[in-house]
mmCIF file of all heavy atoms in Angstrom:
data_model
loop_
_atom_site.group_PDB
_atom_site.id
_atom_site.type_symbol
_atom_site.label_atom_id
_atom_site.label_comp_id
_atom_site.label_asym_id
_atom_site.label_seq_id
_atom_site.Cartn_x
_atom_site.Cartn_y
_atom_site.Cartn_z
ATOM 1 N N LYS A 314 110.278 -5.530 -130.347
ATOM 2 C CA LYS A 314 110.526 -4.772 -129.080
ATOM 3 C C LYS A 314 111.927 -5.074 -128.521
ATOM 4 O O LYS A 314 112.140 -6.274 -128.285
ATOM 5 C CB LYS A 314 109.409 -5.070 -128.201
ATOM 6 C CG LYS A 314 109.387 -4.158 -126.913
ATOM 7 C CD LYS A 314 107.904 -4.133 -126.351
ATOM 8 C CE LYS A 314 107.897 -3.358 -125.053
ATOM 9 N NZ LYS A 314 106.495 -3.176 -124.583
ATOM 10 N N GLY A 315 112.758 -4.127 -128.531
ATOM 11 C CA GLY A 315 114.104 -4.355 -128.090
ATOM 12 C C GLY A 315 115.067 -4.717 -129.228
ATOM 13 O O GLY A 315 116.159 -5.225 -129.037
ATOM 14 N N TRP A 316 114.617 -4.265 -130.387
ATOM 15 C CA TRP A 316 115.411 -4.612 -131.628
ATOM 16 C C TRP A 316 116.861 -4.139 -131.454
ATOM 17 O O TRP A 316 117.176 -3.090 -131.029
ATOM 18 C CB TRP A 316 114.842 -3.726 -132.766
ATOM 19 C CG TRP A 316 115.562 -3.814 -134.080
ATOM 20 C CD1 TRP A 316 115.646 -4.892 -134.983
ATOM 21 C CD2 TRP A 316 116.396 -2.766 -134.671
ATOM 22 N NE1 TRP A 316 116.378 -4.573 -136.057
ATOM 23 C CE2 TRP A 316 116.900 -3.327 -135.852
ATOM 24 C CE3 TRP A 316 116.750 -1.510 -134.266
ATOM 25 C CZ2 TRP A 316 117.794 -2.681 -136.712
ATOM 26 C CZ3 TRP A 316 117.696 -0.843 -135.035
ATOM 27 C CH2 TRP A 316 118.167 -1.309 -136.213
ATOM 28 N N GLY A 317 117.792 -5.098 -131.895
ATOM 29 C CA GLY A 317 119.196 -4.813 -131.761
ATOM 30 C C GLY A 317 119.804 -4.849 -130.365
ATOM 31 O O GLY A 317 120.931 -4.535 -130.157
ATOM 32 N N LEU A 318 118.949 -5.156 -129.371
ATOM 33 C CA LEU A 318 119.417 -5.185 -128.020
ATOM 34 C C LEU A 318 119.300 -6.590 -127.494
ATOM 35 O O LEU A 318 118.501 -7.457 -127.940
ATOM 36 C CB LEU A 318 118.598 -4.243 -127.110
ATOM 37 C CG LEU A 318 118.590 -2.786 -127.508
ATOM 38 C CD1 LEU A 318 117.673 -2.012 -126.520
ATOM 39 C CD2 LEU A 318 119.967 -2.230 -127.636
ATOM 40 N N PRO A 319 120.011 -6.959 -126.435
ATOM 41 C CA PRO A 319 119.979 -8.318 -125.815
ATOM 42 C C PRO A 319 118.638 -8.663 -125.254
ATOM 43 O O PRO A 319 118.316 -9.818 -124.942
ATOM 44 C CB PRO A 319 121.102 -8.431 -124.828
ATOM 45 C CG PRO A 319 121.629 -7.006 -124.635
ATOM 46 C CD PRO A 319 121.120 -6.186 -125.781
ATOM 47 N N ILE A 320 117.799 -7.681 -124.990
ATOM 48 C CA ILE A 320 116.476 -7.910 -124.430
ATOM 49 C C ILE A 320 115.399 -8.084 -125.411
ATOM 50 O O ILE A 320 114.221 -8.144 -125.121
ATOM 51 C CB ILE A 320 116.148 -6.746 -123.479
ATOM 52 C CG1 ILE A 320 116.244 -5.437 -124.174
ATOM 53 C CG2 ILE A 320 117.047 -6.813 -122.211
ATOM 54 C CD1 ILE A 320 115.839 -4.173 -123.211
ATOM 55 N N ALA A 321 115.716 -8.147 -126.688
ATOM 56 C CA ALA A 321 114.728 -8.262 -127.800
ATOM 57 C C ALA A 321 113.784 -9.360 -127.537
ATOM 58 O O ALA A 321 114.140 -10.521 -127.247
ATOM 59 C CB ALA A 321 115.386 -8.466 -129.160
ATOM 60 N N GLY A 322 112.396 -9.017 -127.633
ATOM 61 C CA GLY A 322 111.455 -10.102 -127.670
ATOM 62 C C GLY A 322 111.126 -10.683 -126.289
ATOM 63 O O GLY A 322 110.104 -11.430 -126.172
ATOM 64 N N ASN A 323 111.903 -10.382 -125.322
ATOM 65 C CA ASN A 323 111.659 -11.024 -124.029
ATOM 66 C C ASN A 323 110.296 -10.437 -123.477
ATOM 67 O O ASN A 323 110.062 -9.216 -123.454
ATOM 68 C CB ASN A 323 112.826 -10.468 -123.047
ATOM 69 C CG ASN A 323 112.683 -11.076 -121.663
ATOM 70 O OD1 ASN A 323 111.576 -11.213 -121.165
ATOM 71 N ND2 ASN A 323 113.828 -11.417 -121.109
ATOM 72 N N PRO A 324 109.408 -11.349 -123.036
ATOM 73 C CA PRO A 324 108.048 -10.879 -122.647
ATOM 74 C C PRO A 324 108.098 -9.921 -121.387
ATOM 75 O O PRO A 324 107.187 -9.060 -121.300
ATOM 76 C CB PRO A 324 107.330 -12.113 -122.185
ATOM 77 C CG PRO A 324 108.212 -13.284 -122.555
ATOM 78 C CD PRO A 324 109.538 -12.747 -122.980
ATOM 79 N N ARG A 325 109.209 -9.843 -120.695
ATOM 80 C CA ARG A 325 109.288 -8.971 -119.558
ATOM 81 C C ARG A 325 110.133 -7.791 -119.831
ATOM 82 O O ARG A 325 110.797 -7.253 -118.860
ATOM 83 C CB ARG A 325 109.808 -9.741 -118.337
ATOM 84 C CG ARG A 325 109.027 -10.924 -117.897
ATOM 85 C CD ARG A 325 107.650 -10.627 -117.254
ATOM 86 N NE ARG A 325 107.821 -9.749 -116.165
ATOM 87 C CZ ARG A 325 106.973 -8.786 -115.804
ATOM 88 N NH1 ARG A 325 105.761 -8.696 -116.509
ATOM 89 N NH2 ARG A 325 107.186 -7.991 -114.876
ATOM 90 N N ASN A 326 110.375 -7.374 -121.129
ATOM 91 C CA ASN A 326 111.362 -6.490 -121.444
ATOM 92 C C ASN A 326 110.878 -4.944 -121.317
ATOM 93 O O ASN A 326 111.629 -4.078 -121.581
ATOM 94 C CB ASN A 326 111.998 -6.708 -122.801
ATOM 95 C CG ASN A 326 110.956 -6.538 -123.933
ATOM 96 O OD1 ASN A 326 109.877 -6.058 -123.715
ATOM 97 N ND2 ASN A 326 111.368 -6.805 -125.145
ATOM 98 N N HIS A 327 109.590 -4.817 -120.998
ATOM 99 C CA HIS A 327 109.025 -3.441 -121.091
ATOM 100 C C HIS A 327 109.880 -2.370 -120.343
ATOM 101 O O HIS A 327 110.172 -1.365 -120.816
ATOM 102 C CB HIS A 327 107.577 -3.442 -120.579
ATOM 103 C CG HIS A 327 106.948 -2.000 -120.910
ATOM 104 N ND1 HIS A 327 106.552 -1.609 -122.191
ATOM 105 C CD2 HIS A 327 106.623 -1.022 -120.036
ATOM 106 C CE1 HIS A 327 106.062 -0.405 -122.125
ATOM 107 N NE2 HIS A 327 106.062 -0.017 -120.802
ATOM 108 N N SER A 328 110.258 -2.803 -119.105
ATOM 109 C CA SER A 328 110.997 -1.803 -118.318
ATOM 110 C C SER A 328 112.439 -2.422 -117.999
ATOM 111 O O SER A 328 113.093 -1.868 -117.127
ATOM 112 C CB SER A 328 110.303 -1.447 -117.076
ATOM 113 O OG SER A 328 109.769 -2.540 -116.487
ATOM 114 N N ALA A 329 112.810 -3.427 -118.821
ATOM 115 C CA ALA A 329 114.102 -4.019 -118.551
ATOM 116 C C ALA A 329 115.313 -3.089 -119.017
ATOM 117 O O ALA A 329 115.069 -2.274 -119.934
ATOM 118 C CB ALA A 329 114.247 -5.291 -119.416
ATOM 119 N N LEU A 330 116.354 -3.131 -118.297
ATOM 120 C CA LEU A 330 117.482 -2.277 -118.611
ATOM 121 C C LEU A 330 118.678 -3.097 -118.928
ATOM 122 O O LEU A 330 118.976 -4.095 -118.218
ATOM 123 C CB LEU A 330 117.715 -1.284 -117.311
ATOM 124 C CG LEU A 330 116.686 -0.335 -117.023
ATOM 125 C CD1 LEU A 330 116.981 0.358 -115.678
ATOM 126 C CD2 LEU A 330 116.549 0.699 -118.163
ATOM 127 N N LEU A 331 119.497 -2.605 -119.809
ATOM 128 C CA LEU A 331 120.771 -3.261 -120.087
ATOM 129 C C LEU A 331 121.720 -3.140 -118.977
ATOM 130 O O LEU A 331 121.819 -2.083 -118.275
ATOM 131 C CB LEU A 331 121.438 -2.729 -121.387
ATOM 132 C CG LEU A 331 121.072 -3.412 -122.730
ATOM 133 C CD1 LEU A 331 119.652 -3.349 -123.032
ATOM 134 C CD2 LEU A 331 121.865 -2.795 -123.874
ATOM 135 N N THR A 332 122.542 -4.228 -118.674
ATOM 136 C CA THR A 332 123.556 -4.098 -117.660
ATOM 137 C C THR A 332 124.709 -3.337 -118.192
ATOM 138 O O THR A 332 124.859 -3.041 -119.411
ATOM 139 C CB THR A 332 124.109 -5.492 -117.391
ATOM 140 O OG1 THR A 332 124.681 -6.018 -118.471
ATOM 141 C CG2 THR A 332 122.943 -6.436 -116.902
ATOM 142 N N GLY A 333 125.636 -2.939 -117.267
ATOM 143 C CA GLY A 333 126.778 -2.180 -117.679
ATOM 144 C C GLY A 333 127.579 -2.840 -118.695
ATOM 145 O O GLY A 333 128.133 -2.288 -119.693
ATOM 146 N N GLU A 334 127.682 -4.213 -118.532
ATOM 147 C CA GLU A 334 128.480 -4.967 -119.519
ATOM 148 C C GLU A 334 127.783 -4.961 -120.849
ATOM 149 O O GLU A 334 128.515 -4.849 -121.884
ATOM 150 C CB GLU A 334 128.553 -6.410 -119.022
ATOM 151 C CG GLU A 334 129.899 -6.935 -118.552
ATOM 152 C CD GLU A 334 129.698 -8.206 -117.831
ATOM 153 O OE1 GLU A 334 129.352 -9.262 -118.525
ATOM 154 O OE2 GLU A 334 129.885 -8.231 -116.615
ATOM 155 N N GLN A 335 126.565 -5.127 -120.803
ATOM 156 C CA GLN A 335 125.847 -5.077 -122.171
ATOM 157 C C GLN A 335 125.996 -3.776 -122.842
ATOM 158 O O GLN A 335 126.063 -3.666 -124.015
ATOM 159 C CB GLN A 335 124.288 -5.426 -121.985
ATOM 160 C CG GLN A 335 124.119 -6.906 -121.570
ATOM 161 C CD GLN A 335 122.741 -7.246 -121.127
ATOM 162 O OE1 GLN A 335 122.068 -6.364 -120.504
ATOM 163 N NE2 GLN A 335 122.212 -8.434 -121.444
ATOM 164 N N ILE A 336 126.000 -2.670 -122.035
ATOM 165 C CA ILE A 336 126.179 -1.352 -122.554
ATOM 166 C C ILE A 336 127.546 -1.253 -123.226
ATOM 167 O O ILE A 336 127.750 -0.688 -124.333
ATOM 168 C CB ILE A 336 125.914 -0.228 -121.469
ATOM 169 C CG1 ILE A 336 124.465 -0.100 -121.157
ATOM 170 C CG2 ILE A 336 126.490 1.076 -121.904
ATOM 171 C CD1 ILE A 336 123.569 0.485 -122.302
ATOM 172 N N ASP A 337 128.561 -1.705 -122.439
ATOM 173 C CA ASP A 337 129.927 -1.668 -123.010
ATOM 174 C C ASP A 337 130.032 -2.384 -124.357
ATOM 175 O O ASP A 337 130.698 -1.904 -125.290
ATOM 176 C CB ASP A 337 130.945 -2.389 -121.965
ATOM 177 C CG ASP A 337 131.109 -1.494 -120.719
ATOM 178 O OD1 ASP A 337 130.707 -0.254 -120.803
ATOM 179 O OD2 ASP A 337 131.470 -2.036 -119.702
ATOM 180 N N THR A 338 129.360 -3.604 -124.415
ATOM 181 C CA THR A 338 129.340 -4.270 -125.636
ATOM 182 C C THR A 338 128.735 -3.497 -126.837
ATOM 183 O O THR A 338 129.197 -3.374 -127.982
ATOM 184 C CB THR A 338 128.647 -5.625 -125.520
ATOM 185 O OG1 THR A 338 129.109 -6.307 -124.356
ATOM 186 C CG2 THR A 338 128.736 -6.510 -126.771
ATOM 187 N N LEU A 339 127.552 -2.886 -126.491
ATOM 188 C CA LEU A 339 126.832 -2.080 -127.435
ATOM 189 C C LEU A 339 127.680 -0.927 -128.006
ATOM 190 O O LEU A 339 127.701 -0.507 -129.128
ATOM 191 C CB LEU A 339 125.446 -1.596 -126.927
ATOM 192 C CG LEU A 339 124.523 -1.048 -127.926
ATOM 193 C CD1 LEU A 339 124.109 -1.868 -129.014
ATOM 194 C CD2 LEU A 339 123.293 -0.365 -127.217
ATOM 195 N N ARG A 340 128.369 -0.311 -127.009
ATOM 196 C CA ARG A 340 129.134 0.832 -127.402
ATOM 197 C C ARG A 340 130.241 0.394 -128.358
ATOM 198 O O ARG A 340 130.502 1.107 -129.386
ATOM 199 C CB ARG A 340 129.920 1.419 -126.169
ATOM 200 C CG ARG A 340 130.599 2.678 -126.400
ATOM 201 C CD ARG A 340 131.485 3.146 -125.201
ATOM 202 N NE ARG A 340 130.593 3.630 -124.065
ATOM 203 C CZ ARG A 340 130.512 2.936 -122.971
ATOM 204 N NH1 ARG A 340 131.179 1.725 -122.724
ATOM 205 N NH2 ARG A 340 129.746 3.331 -121.961
ATOM 206 N N LEU A 341 130.859 -0.763 -128.067
ATOM 207 C CA LEU A 341 131.981 -1.235 -128.923
ATOM 208 C C LEU A 341 131.344 -1.585 -130.333
ATOM 209 O O LEU A 341 131.934 -1.227 -131.384
ATOM 210 C CB LEU A 341 132.504 -2.547 -128.248
ATOM 211 C CG LEU A 341 133.866 -2.919 -128.585
ATOM 212 C CD1 LEU A 341 134.892 -1.814 -128.036
ATOM 213 C CD2 LEU A 341 134.272 -4.193 -127.962
ATOM 214 N N GLU A 342 130.266 -2.212 -130.369
ATOM 215 C CA GLU A 342 129.558 -2.569 -131.593
ATOM 216 C C GLU A 342 129.230 -1.325 -132.414
ATOM 217 O O GLU A 342 129.167 -1.448 -133.624
ATOM 218 C CB GLU A 342 128.277 -3.464 -131.347
ATOM 219 C CG GLU A 342 128.601 -4.901 -130.975
ATOM 220 C CD GLU A 342 127.322 -5.541 -130.421
ATOM 221 O OE1 GLU A 342 126.194 -4.940 -130.503
ATOM 222 O OE2 GLU A 342 127.408 -6.711 -129.956
ATOM 223 N N SER A 343 128.924 -0.323 -131.770
ATOM 224 C CA SER A 343 128.573 0.926 -132.381
ATOM 225 C C SER A 343 129.765 1.713 -132.855
ATOM 226 O O SER A 343 129.627 2.823 -133.353
ATOM 227 C CB SER A 343 127.644 1.816 -131.445
ATOM 228 O OG SER A 343 126.632 0.975 -130.937
ATOM 229 N N GLY A 344 130.933 1.239 -132.603
ATOM 230 C CA GLY A 344 132.116 1.849 -133.059
ATOM 231 C C GLY A 344 132.470 3.142 -132.258
ATOM 232 O O GLY A 344 133.113 4.080 -132.722
ATOM 233 N N LEU A 345 132.015 3.143 -130.890
ATOM 234 C CA LEU A 345 132.327 4.332 -130.130
ATOM 235 C C LEU A 345 133.158 3.960 -128.913
ATOM 236 O O LEU A 345 133.298 2.818 -128.669
ATOM 237 C CB LEU A 345 130.912 4.847 -129.613
ATOM 238 C CG LEU A 345 129.995 5.377 -130.712
ATOM 239 C CD1 LEU A 345 128.533 5.587 -130.287
ATOM 240 C CD2 LEU A 345 130.574 6.701 -131.294
ATOM 241 N N THR A 346 133.720 5.007 -128.328
ATOM 242 C CA THR A 346 134.493 4.848 -127.113
ATOM 243 C C THR A 346 133.884 5.636 -126.001
ATOM 244 O O THR A 346 132.994 6.422 -126.247
ATOM 245 C CB THR A 346 135.953 5.229 -127.408
ATOM 246 O OG1 THR A 346 135.900 6.656 -127.497
ATOM 247 C CG2 THR A 346 136.546 4.602 -128.558
ATOM 248 N N LEU A 347 134.465 5.546 -124.830
ATOM 249 C CA LEU A 347 133.962 6.359 -123.775
ATOM 250 C C LEU A 347 134.101 7.849 -123.976
ATOM 251 O O LEU A 347 133.370 8.761 -123.639
ATOM 252 C CB LEU A 347 134.671 6.018 -122.461
ATOM 253 C CG LEU A 347 134.208 4.785 -121.711
ATOM 254 C CD1 LEU A 347 135.164 4.451 -120.518
ATOM 255 C CD2 LEU A 347 132.772 4.979 -121.254
ATOM 256 N N GLU A 348 135.180 8.211 -124.871
ATOM 257 C CA GLU A 348 135.424 9.553 -125.237
ATOM 258 C C GLU A 348 134.393 10.122 -126.250
ATOM 259 O O GLU A 348 134.034 11.292 -126.398
ATOM 260 C CB GLU A 348 136.806 9.790 -125.775
ATOM 261 C CG GLU A 348 137.959 9.807 -124.752
ATOM 262 C CD GLU A 348 138.117 8.398 -124.131
ATOM 263 O OE1 GLU A 348 138.086 7.400 -124.792
ATOM 264 O OE2 GLU A 348 138.207 8.382 -122.865
ATOM 265 N N THR A 349 134.030 9.124 -127.157
ATOM 266 C CA THR A 349 133.124 9.636 -128.318
ATOM 267 C C THR A 349 131.656 9.293 -128.185
ATOM 268 O O THR A 349 130.923 9.620 -128.971
ATOM 269 C CB THR A 349 133.649 9.006 -129.600
ATOM 270 O OG1 THR A 349 133.622 7.618 -129.570
ATOM 271 C CG2 THR A 349 135.131 9.414 -129.878
ATOM 272 N N GLU A 350 131.327 8.560 -127.116
ATOM 273 C CA GLU A 350 129.982 7.998 -127.037
ATOM 274 C C GLU A 350 128.851 9.015 -127.146
ATOM 275 O O GLU A 350 127.841 8.716 -127.660
ATOM 276 C CB GLU A 350 129.848 7.131 -125.802
ATOM 277 C CG GLU A 350 129.887 7.860 -124.472
ATOM 278 C CD GLU A 350 129.584 7.044 -123.268
ATOM 279 O OE1 GLU A 350 129.080 5.941 -123.474
ATOM 280 O OE2 GLU A 350 129.832 7.540 -122.126
ATOM 281 N N TRP A 351 129.022 10.270 -126.738
ATOM 282 C CA TRP A 351 127.947 11.257 -126.826
ATOM 283 C C TRP A 351 128.006 12.189 -128.009
ATOM 284 O O TRP A 351 127.311 13.148 -128.083
ATOM 285 C CB TRP A 351 127.901 12.023 -125.480
ATOM 286 C CG TRP A 351 127.569 11.283 -124.272
ATOM 287 C CD1 TRP A 351 128.310 11.081 -123.260
ATOM 288 C CD2 TRP A 351 126.253 10.729 -123.930
ATOM 289 N NE1 TRP A 351 127.761 10.395 -122.229
ATOM 290 C CE2 TRP A 351 126.393 10.162 -122.700
ATOM 291 C CE3 TRP A 351 125.087 10.606 -124.582
ATOM 292 C CZ2 TRP A 351 125.439 9.527 -121.995
ATOM 293 C CZ3 TRP A 351 123.993 9.937 -123.966
ATOM 294 C CH2 TRP A 351 124.170 9.414 -122.717
ATOM 295 N N ASP A 352 128.982 11.953 -128.857
ATOM 296 C CA ASP A 352 129.258 12.817 -129.974
ATOM 297 C C ASP A 352 128.088 12.884 -130.940
ATOM 298 O O ASP A 352 127.411 11.860 -131.150
ATOM 299 C CB ASP A 352 130.516 12.421 -130.743
ATOM 300 C CG ASP A 352 131.809 12.878 -129.946
ATOM 301 O OD1 ASP A 352 131.609 13.448 -128.843
ATOM 302 O OD2 ASP A 352 132.885 12.636 -130.427
ATOM 303 N N ARG A 353 127.953 14.069 -131.615
ATOM 304 C CA ARG A 353 127.223 14.100 -132.884
ATOM 305 C C ARG A 353 128.080 13.552 -133.989
ATOM 306 O O ARG A 353 129.249 13.248 -133.824
ATOM 307 C CB ARG A 353 126.817 15.557 -133.191
ATOM 308 C CG ARG A 353 125.820 16.151 -132.267
ATOM 309 C CD ARG A 353 125.154 17.415 -132.949
ATOM 310 N NE ARG A 353 124.032 17.931 -131.974
ATOM 311 C CZ ARG A 353 124.270 18.925 -131.162
ATOM 312 N NH1 ARG A 353 125.472 19.421 -131.013
ATOM 313 N NH2 ARG A 353 123.292 19.303 -130.385
ATOM 314 N N PHE A 354 127.406 13.375 -135.118
ATOM 315 C CA PHE A 354 128.212 12.917 -136.307
ATOM 316 C C PHE A 354 129.262 13.882 -136.620
ATOM 317 O O PHE A 354 129.029 15.116 -136.513
ATOM 318 C CB PHE A 354 127.286 12.705 -137.520
ATOM 319 C CG PHE A 354 126.268 11.522 -137.352
ATOM 320 C CD1 PHE A 354 124.905 11.839 -137.425
ATOM 321 C CD2 PHE A 354 126.747 10.315 -137.097
ATOM 322 C CE1 PHE A 354 123.948 10.897 -137.192
ATOM 323 C CE2 PHE A 354 125.777 9.308 -136.824
ATOM 324 C CZ PHE A 354 124.406 9.516 -136.954
ATOM 325 N N ASP A 355 130.347 13.443 -137.097
ATOM 326 C CA ASP A 355 131.303 14.252 -137.640
ATOM 327 C C ASP A 355 130.778 15.087 -138.824
ATOM 328 O O ASP A 355 130.335 14.453 -139.756
ATOM 329 C CB ASP A 355 132.629 13.404 -138.061
ATOM 330 C CG ASP A 355 133.663 14.214 -138.870
ATOM 331 O OD1 ASP A 355 133.494 15.424 -138.994
ATOM 332 O OD2 ASP A 355 134.671 13.598 -139.174
ATOM 333 N N PRO A 356 130.872 16.403 -138.779
ATOM 334 C CA PRO A 356 130.245 17.182 -139.860
ATOM 335 C C PRO A 356 130.691 16.845 -141.225
ATOM 336 O O PRO A 356 129.994 17.106 -142.189
ATOM 337 C CB PRO A 356 130.518 18.668 -139.525
ATOM 338 C CG PRO A 356 130.922 18.620 -138.127
ATOM 339 C CD PRO A 356 131.506 17.290 -137.812
ATOM 340 N N ALA A 357 131.893 16.317 -141.324
ATOM 341 C CA ALA A 357 132.485 15.998 -142.586
ATOM 342 C C ALA A 357 132.083 14.656 -143.048
ATOM 343 O O ALA A 357 132.235 14.273 -144.313
ATOM 344 C CB ALA A 357 134.042 16.073 -142.527
ATOM 345 N N SER A 358 131.517 13.849 -142.258
ATOM 346 C CA SER A 358 131.149 12.519 -142.648
ATOM 347 C C SER A 358 129.792 12.562 -143.403
ATOM 348 O O SER A 358 129.103 13.537 -143.455
ATOM 349 C CB SER A 358 130.889 11.594 -141.370
ATOM 350 O OG SER A 358 129.776 12.051 -140.686
ATOM 351 N N LEU A 359 129.497 11.516 -144.171
ATOM 352 C CA LEU A 359 128.237 11.471 -144.928
ATOM 353 C C LEU A 359 127.014 11.696 -144.016
ATOM 354 O O LEU A 359 126.061 12.344 -144.208
ATOM 355 C CB LEU A 359 128.130 10.142 -145.655
ATOM 356 C CG LEU A 359 129.033 10.025 -146.911
ATOM 357 C CD1 LEU A 359 128.912 8.645 -147.553
ATOM 358 C CD2 LEU A 359 128.735 11.126 -147.894
ATOM 359 N N GLU A 360 127.172 11.012 -142.795
ATOM 360 C CA GLU A 360 126.073 11.113 -141.838
ATOM 361 C C GLU A 360 125.953 12.513 -141.380
ATOM 362 O O GLU A 360 124.777 13.048 -141.167
ATOM 363 C CB GLU A 360 126.418 10.163 -140.550
ATOM 364 C CG GLU A 360 126.338 8.752 -140.756
ATOM 365 C CD GLU A 360 127.601 8.119 -141.354
ATOM 366 O OE1 GLU A 360 128.477 8.904 -141.784
ATOM 367 O OE2 GLU A 360 127.722 6.885 -141.427
ATOM 368 N N GLY A 361 127.073 13.166 -141.128
ATOM 369 C CA GLY A 361 127.135 14.558 -140.660
ATOM 370 C C GLY A 361 126.511 15.467 -141.715
ATOM 371 O O GLY A 361 125.704 16.459 -141.390
ATOM 372 N N ILE A 362 126.785 15.201 -142.986
ATOM 373 C CA ILE A 362 126.337 16.135 -144.055
ATOM 374 C C ILE A 362 124.745 15.916 -144.206
ATOM 375 O O ILE A 362 124.034 16.958 -144.302
ATOM 376 C CB ILE A 362 127.015 15.725 -145.373
ATOM 377 C CG1 ILE A 362 128.449 16.171 -145.325
ATOM 378 C CG2 ILE A 362 126.396 16.378 -146.572
ATOM 379 C CD1 ILE A 362 129.377 15.583 -146.391
ATOM 380 N N LEU A 363 124.353 14.581 -144.089
ATOM 381 C CA LEU A 363 122.856 14.460 -144.186
ATOM 382 C C LEU A 363 122.149 15.129 -142.970
ATOM 383 O O LEU A 363 121.124 15.782 -143.162
ATOM 384 C CB LEU A 363 122.554 12.928 -144.216
ATOM 385 C CG LEU A 363 121.056 12.675 -144.325
ATOM 386 C CD1 LEU A 363 120.469 13.156 -145.625
ATOM 387 C CD2 LEU A 363 120.798 11.091 -144.251
ATOM 388 N N ALA A 364 122.769 15.040 -141.809
ATOM 389 C CA ALA A 364 122.136 15.620 -140.626
ATOM 390 C C ALA A 364 121.993 17.118 -140.807
ATOM 391 O O ALA A 364 120.933 17.777 -140.541
ATOM 392 C CB ALA A 364 122.932 15.309 -139.352
ATOM 393 N N ALA A 365 123.101 17.747 -141.357
ATOM 394 C CA ALA A 365 123.084 19.153 -141.557
ATOM 395 C C ALA A 365 121.921 19.624 -142.618
ATOM 396 O O ALA A 365 121.208 20.493 -142.453
ATOM 397 C CB ALA A 365 124.442 19.626 -142.037
ATOM 398 N N GLU A 366 121.851 18.750 -143.636
ATOM 399 C CA GLU A 366 120.818 18.987 -144.636
ATOM 400 C C GLU A 366 119.437 18.897 -144.068
ATOM 401 O O GLU A 366 118.478 19.681 -144.282
ATOM 402 C CB GLU A 366 120.871 17.941 -145.751
ATOM 403 C CG GLU A 366 121.746 18.290 -146.904
ATOM 404 C CD GLU A 366 121.856 17.165 -147.907
ATOM 405 O OE1 GLU A 366 120.834 16.412 -148.058
ATOM 406 O OE2 GLU A 366 122.949 17.066 -148.449
ATOM 407 N N ARG A 367 119.266 17.824 -143.194
ATOM 408 C CA ARG A 367 117.927 17.609 -142.647
ATOM 409 C C ARG A 367 117.599 18.786 -141.638
ATOM 410 O O ARG A 367 116.383 19.045 -141.552
ATOM 411 C CB ARG A 367 117.887 16.237 -141.998
ATOM 412 C CG ARG A 367 118.014 15.083 -142.912
ATOM 413 C CD ARG A 367 116.871 15.006 -143.934
ATOM 414 N NE ARG A 367 115.571 14.925 -143.260
ATOM 415 C CZ ARG A 367 114.429 15.085 -143.923
ATOM 416 N NH1 ARG A 367 114.358 15.467 -145.103
ATOM 417 N NH2 ARG A 367 113.215 14.902 -143.238
#
Side-chain angles (χ1 to χ4, degrees):
K314 191 158 173 170
W316 175 75
L318 302 179
I320 51 179
N323 184 323
R325 302 288 308 149
N326 66 9
H327 186 75
S328 45
L330 295 170
L331 266 61
T332 63
E334 249 169 67
Q335 290 171 323
I336 287 289
D337 290 341
T338 309
L339 187 64
R340 184 188 298 108
L341 208 63
E342 284 169 6
S343 309
L345 296 165
T346 65
L347 282 171
E348 283 68 46
T349 60
E350 61 173 351
W351 294 113
D352 284 0
R353 287 200 176 93
F354 295 120
D355 172 359
S358 66
L359 287 177
E360 290 85 350
I362 291 166
L363 181 62
E366 267 176 34
R367 294 300 298 168

